[in-house]
Amino acid sequence: DVLTLSATPIPRTLYLAMAGARDLSTLQTPPRDRLPVRTIVAPEDTGLIASAIRAEVARGGQVYYLHNRVRTILDCRDKLVRLLPGVKFGVAHGQLPEEELGEVMHAFAEGTIDCLICSTIIESGIDMPNANTIIIERADRFGLSQLYQLRGRVGRRNHQAYAYMLLPRSSVLTGDARKRIAAIRRCSNLGAGLQLSLHDLEIRGSGNLLGPEQSGHLNLIGFELYCYLLKREIALLKGEVPEVMVNAEVTIDFVVYGYQAPEGLLPAGFPPDYIEGERPRLSAYRRLDRINSVERLQDFRAELTDRYGKLPPAADVLLQLAEIRIIVSLAGFEELTLAEGKLLIRRGHGAYRLPDGRIPVIDARNPAFLRLALVKKYAKDAALSVPQEAMPRRREGKI
C-alpha cells in the first residue's frame, strides 16, 4: 500500500527494513555516463573558494554556495562579490517572498546567475543539470543524510562534479562530526546512499527500536542474535512461521577451513581466483551462513556456478559442510564431530546417537572426498531416524 523512496533512509527506517518489519529493495544502477562527485574536505580558505568558483564558471558551469545562516547570508554575498568581481551572484533562502524566490531560481535555471548563495532550501530535490560544483560552509554542522542529499544537487549530467566540504580552521571537530565527515569522504562512489545510511545507523543508533525500553541488555546477547530474535518476533506477529536458525556445530578432522590445505586434508572455502574481490567473497560467505534449507543451498550452488563457473574443490567441500550442518540442525542435533575415524552426533545433554549401540567408524584409509560423502550419508541417516514429531525446528524441505 505504501512505497517509500529514499537515497538515504534514516537510521530507524533502515533498521526496521533490516529487521524485516518493512521490505527493502535497493536500486544500484546509475544513469548512463553518470560520474561520481569528487568530494574535497578542507579548512575554510578564501583562495580555495575563489579558485573553485572560477574553475566552474570558466568551463561554463554554475555553483551552489551553501551558507545556512539567513541572518548573515547577505554579508556572505558581499564578501564573495568583492572576492570575485566578475561573477554573477544570486541569493536564495526560505524566508524570501515566494515571487522573489521564484525569480531567483528561474534566473539560475536560465544561466544568468553563475553562483547561487543559498540555504539548505536546495536540499529538497531541485535539479539543475548545469550546476556541477557545490561549496558547503561548516559541513560539520550537517547530518550524513543531509550532506549526501546536498552533494547530490550536483553531478546531474555527464560532467565531472565537485563538492567542497569546508570545515572551520579554529575549532576541533567532535567525535561524531569527525565520523560523519570521514564517512561522506569515503562513500563518494555512485550508489553510496545505503553505505552512508549504514554509517549513520552506527553513529546515531537506530532510535528507540534499539533503546533500553525494547532491547534490554543488548550487549549481553550480541547484535546478531538480537536481530535474529527480533525477526522471529516480527514473523510471529505477522502470522508467519519464523525461519529456522542453523546453529549445529560440525567438526571434521580432515577438513581445513580455507582455500588451501596440507596434503591429505581437504580445504573448504571460496578461493580468490574463483570469486575475485574481497567484498563479493565476503558476501558469498555471509549468504551461505544464512541458508537454512537444502533447497536454498542447491539454489545457491546453481547461482555460484552460473555466475563464476564450475565450483573448485575447496568451494564444493564448503557447500557440502554447509549441507551437513543444515541436515543435522533441522533434525534437532546440536553437534557432529569426526575425530580419528569416530563419528559422533549429539542431540543435547550428552545424548549421542549410537546406531546398534555402536559409534560409527569411518576408515581413514579411504580418500578424503569419499570420507566426506560417508559423513553426509551418516548425517542423513541420523536425521531420518528422528520421528517427525520430535523435530519441531524442521520447517521446510527434504533431508
Side-chain angles (χ1 to χ4, degrees):
D1 298 322
V2 179
L3 175 66
T4 302
L5 300 175
S6 174
T8 52
I10 62 173
R12 183 178 174 85
T13 302
L14 176 62
Y15 189 73
L16 282 170
M18 292 171 66
R22 301 178 68 168
D23 293 326
L24 174 68
S25 184
T26 58
L27 303 175
Q28 296 184 329
T29 305
R32 182 177 295 176
D33 299 326
R34 179 68 58 85
L35 298 171
V37 178
R38 191 169 298 170
T39 305
I40 299 99
V41 178
E44 289 185 7
D45 180 74
T46 54
L48 177 66
I49 293 170
S51 63
I53 295 175
R54 284 198 194 98
E56 186 59 53
V57 173
R59 65 172 182 169
Q62 293 168 285
V63 180
Y64 290 114
Y65 188 95
L66 198 143
H67 178 91
N68 202 33
R69 288 289 182 272
V70 173
R71 184 180 299 175
T72 56
I73 198 167
L74 295 179
D75 295 335
C76 177
R77 180 199 59 185
D78 296 340
K79 181 182 73 173
L80 290 175
V81 167
R82 290 192 298 270
L83 183 65
L84 298 158
V87 177
K88 299 171 186 175
F89 291 94
V91 175
H93 56 79
Q95 295 183 23
L96 283 178
E98 185 177 344
E99 290 184 3
E100 186 178 346
L101 179 61
E103 290 173 3
V104 171
M105 297 311 300
H106 181 73
F108 189 61
E110 291 292 314
T112 56
I113 293 175
D114 297 320
C115 178
L116 183 68
I117 304 167
C118 54
S119 66
T120 51
I121 192 174
I122 63 165
E123 183 184 354
S124 56
I126 192 168
D127 189 359
M128 299 289 182
N130 200 43
N132 284 297
T133 293
I134 184 169
I135 301 170
I136 303 174
E137 278 189 3
R138 292 305 303 265
D140 56 306
R141 290 178 172 172
F142 296 94
L144 260 183
S145 295
Q146 267 190 309
L147 289 174
Y148 183 77
Q149 294 284 0
L150 291 168
R151 186 173 65 183
R153 296 309 101 216
V154 297
R156 314 298 286 183
R157 292 172 61 186
N158 57 352
H159 299 304
Q160 180 63 62
Y162 299 87
Y164 292 84
M165 311 277 179
L166 302 184
L167 305 174
R169 286 182 172 276
S170 56
S171 60
V172 178
L173 295 184
T174 63
D176 284 352
R178 189 183 300 109
K179 291 177 185 176
R180 290 196 297 269
I181 296 299
I184 195 73
R185 179 159 43 188
R186 282 198 307 270
C187 301
S188 58
N189 54 298
L190 293 172
L194 187 60
Q195 292 174 260
L196 269 174
S197 297
L198 291 169
H199 283 299
D200 205 13
L201 180 63
E202 292 175 3
I203 294 169
R204 290 202 285 163
S206 57
N208 217 22
L209 190 67
L210 277 179
E213 294 173 15
Q214 274 109 340
S215 64
H217 296 288
L218 177 62
N219 291 334
L220 295 180
I221 63 171
F223 185 71
E224 288 288 335
L225 179 57
Y226 174 76
C227 290
Y228 168 73
L229 295 173
L230 185 62
K231 286 180 181 179
R232 283 184 62 88
E233 290 303 313
I234 291 172
L236 290 170
L237 289 171
K238 287 181 175 180
E240 300 171 357
V241 178
E243 292 203 347
V244 176
M245 188 174 186
V246 176
N247 57 0
E249 292 288 336
V250 174
T251 306
I252 299 175
D253 59 2
F254 59 84
V255 174
V256 175
Y257 284 98
Y259 55 90
Q260 293 179 330
E263 187 177 354
L265 302 180
L266 290 180
F270 295 121
D273 58 355
Y274 180 63
I275 301 180
E276 297 181 2
E278 191 172 298
R279 185 182 294 274
R281 199 159 58 250
L282 288 174
S283 176
Y285 281 119
R286 185 181 293 273
R287 286 186 58 192
L288 180 62
D289 185 61
R290 292 176 178 172
I291 293 174
N292 60 2
S293 75
V294 176
E295 287 81 1
R296 291 182 183 179
L297 183 65
Q298 298 307 327
D299 291 342
F300 183 60
R301 178 187 285 270
E303 181 185 332
L304 288 175
T305 304
D306 180 63
R307 186 172 180 181
Y308 300 109
K310 183 180 177 182
L311 286 172
D316 183 68
V317 170
L318 182 65
L319 295 192
Q320 289 195 60
L321 289 176
E323 184 176 351
I324 293 170
R325 186 166 174 253
I326 291 168
I327 289 169
V328 295
S329 288
L330 293 179
F333 295 107
E334 295 183 1
E335 183 182 3
L336 181 148
T337 304
L338 178 68
E340 299 179 354
K342 297 177 180 179
L343 181 65
L344 294 173
I345 303 178
R346 182 172 62 84
R347 175 172 290 279
H349 307 294
Y352 289 94
R353 180 181 181 271
L354 302 174
D356 303 322
R358 299 178 182 178
I359 297 176
V361 176
I362 295 179
D363 194 340
R365 292 173 294 181
N366 290 325
F369 276 103
L370 177 58
R371 282 181 280 162
L372 186 61
L374 290 171
V375 171
K376 192 191 316 185
K377 180 182 180 302
Y378 276 117
K380 288 183 176 180
D381 290 343
L384 292 172
S385 69
V386 178
Q388 181 73 27
E389 59 273 12
M391 298 169 57
R393 293 160 63 188
R394 178 176 170 181
R395 185 172 69 88
E396 60 176 314
K398 297 178 182 178
I399 294 174

